[in-house]
Amino acid sequence: METNLSKNRAMLDNLLAKVLHLDPGDVTDETSMESVQRWDSVRHLMLVSELEKQFKITLATREAVKMRNIFLIKKALQEHGIEL
Amino acid sequence: MDQLRDCERRINDGDIPGAITVALEALSSDSSPVTYCDFYDLLSPATDRMEIEAPKRLKIAILSTYTFDAMAGYLYFECVRIGLLPKFYIAGFGQYVQEIIGQTSGLYQFQPDLLIIAAHAEAMLGPVLESPFRIEVPKKQKIVEESAQKFSDLIDHFCRQSSGSALVHNLMTPAISPYGILENKIEGSPGDCVRLYNKIVSSRLSDNSQVHILDFDSWAGYFGKSRVRNPKMWYMAKIYLADDFMAFLARVYMRYIKPLKSLNKKCLVLDLDNTLWGGILGEDGAHGIDLDTGPPGNAYRDFQFFIKSLKDRGLILAINSRNNFEEAMSVIRTHPYMILKEDDFSSVKINWNDKVKNLEQISNELNIGLDSMIYLDDNPAERLLVRQFLPEILTVDLPHDASLYRVTLEEMTDWDSLALTEEDRRRPQLYLSERRRDDLKRSSGSMEKFLASLEMEVEIKPADDFSLPRLAQLTQRTNQFNLTTRRYNEKQLEQMRRSPLYRLYAVGAKDRFGDNGLIGAAIVFKQGAAWRIDTFLLSCRVIGRQIETVMLAKIARDARVGGATCLEGEYLPTAKNNQVQNFYAGLGFKQNPDGLWIGDISRLQTAYPAFIGVHEE
């Protein structure tokens, strides 16, 4: 049975695959703007937009600028009530 | 993702058209910025490397006062959809001044066909908009005037350095002003300042045919100013416009790009039932159809008003309808609320024949290519048929609700032109005269009798200020009787006209049925003993009347007087001009080993045909 948790994780995986072309198997909490070549400032903005759209949240600019790795992204999402 | 991989595979296989098809399919189901970015990043390096033939080539430079890189993705695919393969040059934001002023800047090295300049109000008017209450009105006015003049100087500078066209955004007036509801009550308000700036720039640049001012303010209004900006993107990365609006703006740009590349449509073919009026004439009778000032007929009447204004702009109209001819014509001629009249249509196919055949006949009669035609029909089955058999025609999906007909057409980007010439306004009338000539031809015994009875007069003289815009238009639009299909804009023709090495001929023709206006052009490059014919073209309206003979005879005469011993002609084949492949051969030119046609002046015909009265200068 699909839980919110697994649904959200799947959504995040798909999102990262779509925007950053990252294989879910390759993603860890440490995956960051520094470690992924494609993750430049342009892609980062798209990432922020897609996160807002898919999870139906609004990220403050301060939050958006800070989420430079997967750990921080998950943290921000959790702070918005998204189970991960 | 799979589509992305598929696209990449096709690129590696060298199948660019296939890769493009995959990309367009992917975008039609997912139009998010990520998808545009992914496919643009994949395709544009591949198309940049290609050797592209002139008709598909388009070099677009984008200069802006804000981050505008994403526009390349949207605009790339809008262009690709209509068969163009654009190359982009995007300078870093805020660099627009250096790029335009620098003699050897990247911009000029790129040699753009089109330069888009996107400036935003805050960049051009700074303190006037940031602290509107804190600056005295006279000082605000001075700031605005200086900024507007400086900007106009910059555009003038670009026009001197380059022959490309410039598409310049005007500034957007704020949707909600810091002045609140006093915006239109207090002098020197932010709106006032923006309007003054726009007014000055417009008056400085509107006479310059190389410049087109895009009414950004108006388009933003249409889209909805509340949706134009994305504050988060602005504060994070100086991206001024929301993604949705950029996608919309790219389509607005196509209104300029299509006529620039001669890809705008020339003819609108209309169905009658449930298109120009509601209901079916054959079933409801003339009194039962909906065409009125009240509902539901008012939507159709309004639709006709818009179509009429398209005709007034130079679009040719035709009818393709399954109806009894007399019954339908009676409505067109006598219905009190009919706006479009018999004379508005250059070709009328009202019969029980196959609609596809009708369209082919319209294309033949009017001598307009299928790819220059648009077809409007309310019936999805008919539209499917036409799409299948005549895919070159643009078949429009009219919405189910007639209230939306007018706006559907208004939002199309296929019939704008960059200038409105007298020729444009008279074009539909010219097609009408053409029908009368055809009738005469059919009733004359022979071609000679027909030509003689036309009482033709041809005027051939050097291009002047008056004829230059039309000549440019002719080089851009003429495809069939065009020996070299070189496209020129007014600026380029002006440069040639001023040079003693070039001669530009403007050819006009009239006959007893009317004045055809300027219908021919020739550009001759004088290289001492050999005069090279760079451009030689004739509007398809007047083919077959030996006007080309007059033109060449005139050129030969001038060449002889000018001391030349031969004329050189080129034939550059295209998909549409093979009717002129033997033009020079037929006039006694001989082809040399590298394909150039050489005509010995002492042997060329310099006499004019007897049945044409020629006025030359």
Side-chain angles (χ1 to χ4, degrees):
Chain A
M1 198 188 67
E2 218 193 8
T3 59
N4 265 347
L5 191 67
S6 58
K7 226 177 23 186
N8 291 337
R9 284 192 180 151
M11 213 148 66
L12 183 59
D13 281 344
N14 280 335
L15 211 144
L16 293 173
K18 180 176 177 189
V19 181
L20 300 175
H21 296 206
L22 288 173
D23 206 301
D26 296 334
V27 176
T28 68
D29 278 3
E30 281 75 38
T31 307
S32 70
M33 282 186 82
E34 285 69 39
S35 70
V36 177
Q37 202 193 25
R38 192 179 282 259
W39 191 346
D40 56 15
S41 52
V42 174
R43 292 271 162 175
H44 187 72
L45 291 175
M46 289 183 197
L47 189 62
V48 169
S49 284
E50 286 288 317
L51 284 168
E52 288 186 323
K53 217 165 38 173
Q54 301 278 16
F55 289 105
K56 301 198 187 2
I57 57 176
T58 306
L59 293 162
T61 308
R62 199 193 309 125
E63 295 176 280
V65 166
K66 269 208 254 163
M67 48 163 71
R68 301 177 65 87
N69 61 42
I70 302 302
F71 174 73
L72 291 170
I73 290 177
K74 283 188 186 166
K75 183 154 167 279
L77 289 174
Q78 279 159 344
E79 279 165 12
H80 280 265
I82 311 288
E83 269 186 84
L84 274 172
Chain B
M1 272 307 282
D2 303 306
Q3 285 164 310
L4 209 54
R5 267 191 280 268
D6 188 6
C7 186
E8 193 168 15
R9 202 176 340 116
R10 284 172 200 260
I11 292 175
N12 291 334
D13 289 342
D15 175 19
I16 304 289
I20 290 178
T21 307
V22 171
L24 290 176
E25 265 170 33
L27 287 169
S28 66
S29 52
D30 180 1
S31 58
S32 73
V34 182
T35 321
Y36 271 97
C37 194
D38 279 339
F39 283 100
Y40 176 70
D41 285 347
L42 210 52
L43 270 169
S44 76
T47 56
D48 276 358
R49 281 194 295 268
M50 284 168 67
E51 200 44 64
I52 302 172
E53 30 168 7
K56 295 187 180 210
R57 223 183 282 150
L58 182 61
K59 288 199 283 186
I60 304 175
I62 301 182
L63 297 179
S64 59
T65 54
Y66 46 82
T67 310
F68 205 27
D69 299 57
M71 176 52 77
Y74 294 113
L75 193 50
Y76 180 85
F77 287 105
E78 288 295 332
C79 287
V80 153
R81 252 178 218 125
I82 57 167
L84 295 173
L85 292 171
K87 284 195 174 72
F88 288 93
Y89 174 82
I90 304 184
F93 84 78
Q95 307 259 12
Y96 70 100
V97 176
Q98 299 94 301
E99 290 280 353
I100 291 182
I101 290 190
Q103 302 262 43
T104 54
S105 67
L107 174 65
Y108 296 119
Q109 283 178 39
F110 179 66
Q111 292 185 312
D113 301 308
L114 177 67
L115 168 63
I116 296 175
I117 304 184
H120 68 292
E122 293 80 353
M124 309 315 281
L125 300 177
V128 158
L129 294 180
E130 279 162 12
S131 321
F133 283 105
R134 306 257 171 117
I135 309 178
E136 301 283 304
V137 173
K139 183 141 196 289
K140 273 201 268 199
Q141 184 159 347
K142 191 157 175 290
I143 294 175
V144 171
E145 281 167 354
E146 275 173 12
S147 182
Q149 298 290 2
K150 212 165 71 154
F151 181 75
S152 307
D153 289 341
L154 208 61
I155 306 298
D156 279 342
H157 185 92
F158 170 76
C159 291
R160 283 191 295 271
Q161 304 289 103
S162 164
S163 63
S165 299
L167 182 55
V168 176
H169 286 197
N170 68 1
L171 302 183
M172 183 170 79
T173 56
I176 299 183
S177 164
Y179 280 29
I181 63 173
L182 295 170
E183 162 59 43
N184 57 5
K185 278 210 150 181
I186 301 184
E187 204 195 342
S189 65
D192 277 350
C193 293
V194 171
R195 276 186 291 273
L196 176 61
Y197 178 98
N198 285 342
K199 182 150 167 262
I200 295 173
V201 170
S202 173
S203 68
R204 280 281 307 266
L205 300 176
S206 60
D207 281 340
N208 186 338
S209 62
Q210 206 178 333
V211 178
H212 307 282
I213 298 180
L214 187 142
D215 195 344
F216 183 83
D217 185 55
S218 181
W219 287 112
Y222 181 76
F223 185 80
K225 286 185 182 176
S226 58
R227 300 162 51 211
V228 162
R229 308 284 309 274
N230 181 334
K232 187 192 259 90
M233 293 296 135
W234 172 247
Y235 293 122
M236 283 184 73
K238 280 192 122 68
I239 296 174
Y240 195 67
L241 304 174
D243 289 311
D244 285 349
F245 186 65
M246 277 195 276
F248 173 82
L249 195 57
R251 288 195 292 278
V252 176
Y253 289 156
M254 296 316 287
R255 289 173 180 262
Y256 295 87
I257 289 174
K258 285 178 186 177
L260 199 68
K261 295 301 289 182
S262 307
L263 291 172
N264 50 344
K265 307 295 180 184
K266 301 183 183 168
C267 175
L268 180 57
V269 184
L270 300 152
D271 179 31
L272 291 176
D273 292 320
N274 284 317
T275 302
L276 289 189
W277 54 68
I280 299 187
L281 177 60
E283 290 169 16
D284 303 321
H287 298 289
I289 57 172
D290 301 322
L291 188 59
D292 211 326
T293 50
N298 50 4
Y300 297 97
R301 189 155 179 269
D302 218 25
F303 188 49
Q304 289 196 22
F305 268 119
F306 183 69
I307 295 172
K308 182 107 178 184
S309 68
L310 288 176
K311 180 229 160 184
D312 288 339
R313 259 202 261 160
L315 201 63
I316 305 296
L317 303 181
I319 298 179
N320 182 9
S321 169
R322 303 186 113 187
N323 253 302
N324 286 325
F325 183 81
E326 279 314 319
E327 202 180 354
M329 286 311 288
S330 171
V331 170
I332 292 172
R333 284 172 187 145
T334 63
H335 195 290
Y337 295 115
M338 193 77 196
I339 301 301
L340 293 167
K341 298 289 180 183
E342 184 172 8
D343 272 359
D344 290 324
F345 298 101
S346 303
S347 176
V348 172
K349 299 284 168 225
I350 302 175
N351 52 41
W352 296 98
N353 301 341
D354 174 27
K355 276 192 162 177
V356 169
K357 285 241 149 46
N358 282 344
L359 284 167
E360 286 171 327
Q361 279 177 2
I362 291 173
S363 167
N364 284 329
E365 265 174 36
L366 297 178
N367 213 345
I368 291 179
L370 293 170
D371 59 358
S372 296
M373 291 165 63
I374 302 189
Y375 181 51
L376 288 185
D377 194 320
D378 69 291
N379 188 327
E382 299 283 6
R383 296 199 298 256
L384 190 62
L385 204 67
V386 172
R387 274 205 185 101
Q388 260 178 332
F389 284 94
L390 300 174
E392 306 93 325
I393 295 185
L394 175 60
T395 304
V396 180
D397 278 326
L398 278 181
H400 188 66
D401 180 3
S403 329
L404 300 174
Y405 279 7
R406 180 170 173 145
V407 71
T408 300
L409 245 58
E410 283 173 341
E411 288 187 347
M412 288 180 66
T413 60
D414 298 281
W415 37 52
D416 280 297
S417 44
L418 296 171
L420 185 63
T421 62
E422 261 314 300
E423 303 284 340
D424 290 317
R425 310 198 60 174
R426 286 191 298 162
R427 186 171 305 117
Q429 176 57 36
L430 297 175
Y431 275 85
L432 195 65
S433 311
E434 198 51 32
R435 265 173 42 204
R436 300 207 185 104
R437 287 188 194 94
D438 278 343
D439 291 339
L440 176 68
K441 187 165 14 165
R442 260 179 300 222
S443 61
S444 303
S446 66
M447 197 55 175
E448 286 78 10
K449 283 223 199 89
F450 165 61
L451 289 177
S453 66
L454 272 182
E455 295 162 32
M456 291 170 61
E457 281 178 42
V458 167
E459 186 183 56
I460 175 163
K461 54 185 213 186
D464 57 25
D465 285 335
F466 181 70
S467 56
L468 210 73
R470 171 60 179 159
L471 287 184
Q473 202 182 59
L474 277 171
T475 67
Q476 288 154 21
R477 292 196 198 203
T478 310
N479 298 312
Q480 297 177 50
F481 200 112
N482 192 336
L483 272 299
T484 54
T485 319
R486 294 191 170 107
R487 311 288 189 189
Y488 292 114
N489 62 28
E490 284 179 48
K491 165 84 181 278
Q492 291 162 321
L493 291 184
E494 183 59 37
Q495 282 170 337
M496 282 187 254
R497 181 164 77 109
R498 280 198 246 117
S499 159
L501 292 174
Y502 282 93
R503 225 172 233 235
L504 272 60
Y505 294 92
V507 185
K510 57 167 104 105
D511 60 29
R512 67 187 243 222
F513 291 109
D515 188 346
N516 273 299
L518 282 172
I519 39 71
I523 299 176
V524 175
F525 179 48
K526 303 190 278 188
Q527 309 165 122
W531 281 23
R532 166 81 60 104
I533 302 174
D534 170 279
T535 294
F536 190 99
L537 57 83
L538 206 56
S539 165
C540 50
R541 265 184 248 152
V542 293
I543 294 176
R545 297 188 204 157
Q546 302 199 28
I547 296 177
E548 62 274 19
T549 311
V550 172
M551 284 166 67
L552 200 53
K554 167 70 174 155
I555 294 173
R557 285 183 187 200
D558 286 353
R560 186 179 293 166
V561 164
T565 53
C566 71
L567 288 180
E568 291 174 354
E570 299 164 270
Y571 167 64
L572 300 177
T574 67
K576 297 190 180 183
N577 73 350
N578 60 14
Q579 66 175 265
V580 291
Q581 59 184 321
N582 295 315
F583 175 67
Y584 287 121
L587 290 165
F589 283 57
K590 298 272 183 281
Q591 202 173 20
N592 74 10
D594 39 52
L596 197 62
W597 290 93
I598 316 282
D600 182 341
I601 296 242
S602 60
R603 301 234 195 89
L604 291 180
Q605 173 74 274
T606 52
Y608 298 134
F611 55 84
I612 302 182
V614 180
H615 308 275
E616 53 167 303
E617 269 175 44

